[in-house]
């Protein structure tokens, strides 16, 4: 990460939520030379003081699942722009998926990406390697060598590893190096050509649906293989109530099965994919096209229950930036994916404001939960490490994708009012993002003395703060 000066700052009267330590209470947090200071401490004259009344301070977030697109798809995103967007979203560590060009399936390619990360990343990045060569689902990568090269896990994300023998061997070998296999658990052969979830909305729009059974069959297969191998399978972007119940039973059995849910699959339904034009005609909103698709309200409720009950340990963005051309055209032609980093927190805080999920549980699923999935590959998500995020859970703002730091402006949330705003993100004791509105709470200086794409207020999609 580019060097920036370590901070001297006092956060006064913040609600501090730190799931690993069990801390949840109002107090001060002091950073001196970028490190959390313990009492007694002497506050230097050059210290910035931040009034945090009504604000929440937590460890910086961890994202298990994002697409930085580099190398090969730099028109969609780069490590520099993607990690700037991640910082604006409160993320201090992100795991990037291997569906790049070429895919991340060899040690040499991982080393090349590490060079880019060291040069350009605004936050910490750990690559996820392909599970199979070329992501073709036929032959395993060199799992041991890639583990030694520092990857956080293995996945053919975007594609299901359909061959059960290959998946069995991947789980077995990954277990031998203490890593998980992350599976896009959806049988692609059953949903080929689909646009949105199979159901009333698809029928109303006369579009080909994507059956939820494609996910449930894949999840069941993965659980059986985890039982067979004693390996760790991680279900990516789980979306159906039945799949959540399958994971629940597997965990009750003691199997090493974990799962993540995305902000959009926790809050949006297939009805959010419908637009009504000026003539009153309903049509599909390409910006809401994701894979797996947005599901019915009953499935969304089942996934939310999984978060509340601890069946789902992590909220992951599946940040999938695209160019505007990628999302144009007919529903069948448009690319799958949303730009999520900069709206993630505010989206999931919808559940808090509705009274469905506690704030503590949401912070857990953004910090300690994903760290647990990564195991030894993750740093401890604690404020004492100098990685933290300050956010206002009540601040309202209107999503304006033209202000995103991400190159991907593709979101169905454009024009929506959300509640929950990232004010600053600190990684390794250094400020990597500060919102314009933070300056009103600062005295003795400002945290937002950044450069380049990290300029305070340059992104976050915020317009018309209320």
């Amino acid at each position: 990460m580019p060097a920036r000066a370590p901070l001297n700052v006092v956060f006064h009267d913040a609600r501090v939520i730190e799931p690993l330590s069990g801390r949840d209470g109002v107090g001060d947090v002091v950073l001196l030379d970028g490190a959390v200071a313990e009492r007694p401490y002497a506050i230097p004259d050059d210290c910035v003081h931040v009034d945090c009344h009504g604000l929440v301070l937590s460890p910086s977030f961890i994202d298990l699942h994002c697409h930085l697109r580099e190398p090969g798809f730099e028109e969609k995103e780069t490590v520099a722009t993607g990690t700037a967007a991640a910082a604006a979203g409160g993320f201090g560590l992100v795991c990037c998926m291997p569906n790049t060009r070429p895919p991340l399936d060899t040690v040499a390619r991982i080393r090349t990406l590490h060079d880019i990360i060291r040069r350009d990343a605004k936050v910490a990045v750990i690559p996820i390697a392909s599970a199979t060569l070329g992501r073709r689902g036929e032959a395993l990568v060199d799992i041991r060598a890639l583990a030694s090269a520092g990857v956080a896990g293995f996945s053919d994300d975007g594609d299901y590893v359909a061959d059960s023998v290959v998946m069995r061997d991947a789980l077995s070998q990954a277990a031998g190096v203490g890593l998980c296999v992350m599976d896009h658990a959806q049988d692609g052969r059953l949903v080929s050509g689909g646009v949105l979830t199979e159901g009333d909305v698809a029928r109303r729009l006369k579009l080909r649906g994507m059956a939820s059974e494609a996910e449930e069959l894949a999840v069941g297969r993965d659980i059986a293989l985890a039982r067979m191998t004693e390996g760790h399978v991680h279900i990516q972007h789980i979306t159906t109530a039945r799949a959540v119940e399958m994971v629940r039973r597997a965990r009750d059995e003691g199997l090493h099965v974990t799962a993540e849910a995305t902000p959009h699959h926790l809050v949006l339904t297939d009805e959010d994919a419908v637009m009504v034009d000026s003539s009153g005609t309903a049509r599909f909103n390409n910006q809401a096209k994701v894979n797996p698709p947005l599901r019915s309200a009953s499935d969304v409720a089942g996934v939310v229950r999984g978060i509340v009950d601890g069946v789902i340990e992590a909220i992951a963005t599946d940040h999938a930036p695209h160019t505007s051309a990628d999302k144009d055209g007919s529903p069948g032609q448009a690319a799958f994916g949303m730009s999520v980093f900069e709206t993630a927190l505010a989206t999931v805080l919808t559940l808090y404001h509705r009274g469905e999920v506690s704030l503590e549980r949401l912070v857990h699923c953004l910090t300690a939960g994903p760290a647990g999935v990564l195991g030894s590959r993750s740093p401890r998500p604690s404020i004492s490490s100098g990685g933290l995020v300050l956010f206002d859970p009540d601040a309202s703002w209107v999503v304006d994708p033209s202000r995103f730091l991400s190159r991907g402006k593709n979101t169905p949330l454009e024009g929506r009012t959300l509640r929950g705003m990232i004010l600053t993100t600190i990684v390794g004791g250094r400020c990597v993002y500060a919102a314009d509105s933070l300056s009103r709470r600062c005295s003795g200086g400002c945290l937002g003395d950044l450069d380049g794409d990290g300029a305070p207020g340059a992104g976050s999609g915020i317009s018309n703060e209320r």
Side-chain angles (χ1 to χ4, degrees):
M1 290 179 287
R4 295 189 177 94
L7 297 171
N8 290 323
V9 57
V10 182
F11 296 97
H12 294 278
D13 298 321
R15 178 182 175 185
V16 181
I17 301 177
E18 189 175 53
L20 279 184
S21 69
R23 183 178 180 183
D24 185 359
V26 176
D28 295 351
V29 173
V30 179
L31 291 183
L32 299 180
D33 290 327
V36 173
E38 301 294 338
R39 293 182 184 273
Y41 39 72
I43 305 299
D45 292 338
D46 65 350
C47 201
V48 177
H49 295 264
V50 185
D51 174 10
C52 299
H53 180 73
L55 306 182
V56 176
L57 192 72
S58 81
S60 55
F61 305 151
I62 297 172
D63 188 12
L64 293 175
H65 185 162
C66 72
H67 301 270
L68 299 182
R69 303 301 192 195
E70 191 173 12
F73 299 101
E74 288 82 359
E75 73 279 6
K76 300 173 186 280
E77 193 76 285
T78 65
V79 168
T81 60
T83 56
F91 295 92
L93 169 64
V94 300
C95 299
C96 59
M97 290 295 126
N99 50 346
T100 51
R101 186 171 57 198
L104 304 178
D105 59 357
T106 67
V107 170
R109 290 170 181 174
I110 291 294
R111 287 174 176 163
T112 297
L113 180 59
H114 276 309
D115 289 341
I116 297 170
I117 291 166
R118 280 190 289 268
R119 184 189 69 207
D120 294 340
K122 309 297 190 296
V123 303
V125 181
I126 309 178
I128 304 295
S130 302
T132 67
L133 292 171
R135 297 177 51 251
R136 292 188 292 270
E138 298 169 353
L140 286 185
V141 297
D142 188 336
I143 282 180
R144 187 170 296 277
L146 285 162
S148 296
V151 305
F154 303 90
S155 178
D156 278 359
D157 182 50
D159 289 301
Y160 171 60
V161 181
D163 190 316
S164 295
V165 173
V166 172
M167 185 63 173
R168 178 202 64 190
D169 292 347
L171 282 166
S172 180
Q173 291 188 31
V177 294
L179 298 179
C180 67
V181 179
M182 302 174 168
D183 198 24
H184 183 117
Q186 179 178 250
D187 191 328
R189 295 163 297 186
L190 290 177
V191 296
S192 179
V195 173
L196 73 167
T197 195
E198 193 173 81
D200 291 341
V201 175
R203 287 188 288 271
R204 190 163 79 236
L205 298 180
K206 297 181 173 57
L207 293 172
R208 185 166 182 173
M210 302 170 72
S212 59
E213 287 81 2
E215 178 172 311
E216 293 146 12
L217 285 167
V219 170
R221 192 282 310 260
D222 286 350
I223 290 171
L225 293 177
R227 183 184 298 111
M228 177 187 294
T229 62
E230 299 184 353
H232 177 187
V233 67
H234 178 73
I235 307 300
Q236 297 179 299
H237 40 48
I238 197 166
T239 68
T240 83
R242 286 193 294 265
V244 172
E245 289 307 306
M246 295 164 76
V247 172
R248 185 192 306 276
R249 292 194 296 271
R251 290 169 66 88
D252 288 345
E253 187 183 336
L255 301 182
H256 202 171
V257 178
T258 55
E260 69 190 33
T262 73
H264 39 288
H265 289 119
L266 286 165
V267 174
L268 303 180
T269 74
D270 54 349
E271 291 287 353
D272 290 292
V274 180
M275 297 180 66
V276 180
D277 63 24
S278 57
S279 69
T281 302
R283 60 186 180 85
F284 182 72
N285 180 3
N286 287 354
Q287 301 298 338
K289 185 180 179 184
V290 286
N291 188 19
L294 300 179
R295 300 292 188 187
S296 68
S298 61
D299 275 324
V300 170
V303 177
V304 172
R305 280 195 302 274
I307 290 285
V308 172
D309 297 345
V311 176
I312 300 169
E313 276 291 296
I315 293 172
T317 67
D318 194 11
H319 173 75
H322 288 291
T323 67
S324 58
D326 294 328
K327 299 296 278 187
D328 286 344
S330 69
Q333 293 172 328
F336 289 103
M338 297 181 190
S339 185
V340 182
F341 278 147
E342 291 157 272
T343 58
L345 176 68
T347 301
V348 299
L349 283 178
T350 302
L351 302 173
Y352 164 66
H353 292 302
R354 290 175 182 168
E356 297 178 30
V357 185
S358 70
L359 189 56
E360 302 94 316
R361 182 63 190 164
L362 291 174
V363 171
H364 172 92
C365 290
L366 289 163
T367 58
V373 173
L374 294 176
S376 63
R377 285 295 196 259
S378 173
R380 181 179 173 86
S382 66
I383 291 168
S384 62
S385 70
L388 56 89
V389 61
L390 180 71
F391 64 90
D392 185 338
D394 294 311
S396 295
W397 54 283
V398 178
V399 178
D400 177 3
S402 72
R403 291 171 55 83
F404 283 176
L405 294 181
S406 171
R407 286 189 175 177
K409 316 302 180 185
N410 47 303
T411 174
L413 299 175
E414 182 173 6
R416 290 201 186 194
T417 299
L418 300 178
R419 289 174 68 190
M421 183 185 300
I422 300 293
L423 295 180
T424 191
T425 305
I426 294 171
V427 178
R430 290 170 168 81
C431 183
V432 294
Y433 173 78
D436 280 337
S437 56
L438 181 64
S439 62
R440 298 197 295 267
R441 291 177 171 266
C442 294
S443 59
C446 183
L447 294 184
D449 186 17
L450 307 179
D451 57 8
D453 288 338
S460 77
I462 297 173
S463 68
N464 300 327
E465 181 188 341
R466 297 177 182 178

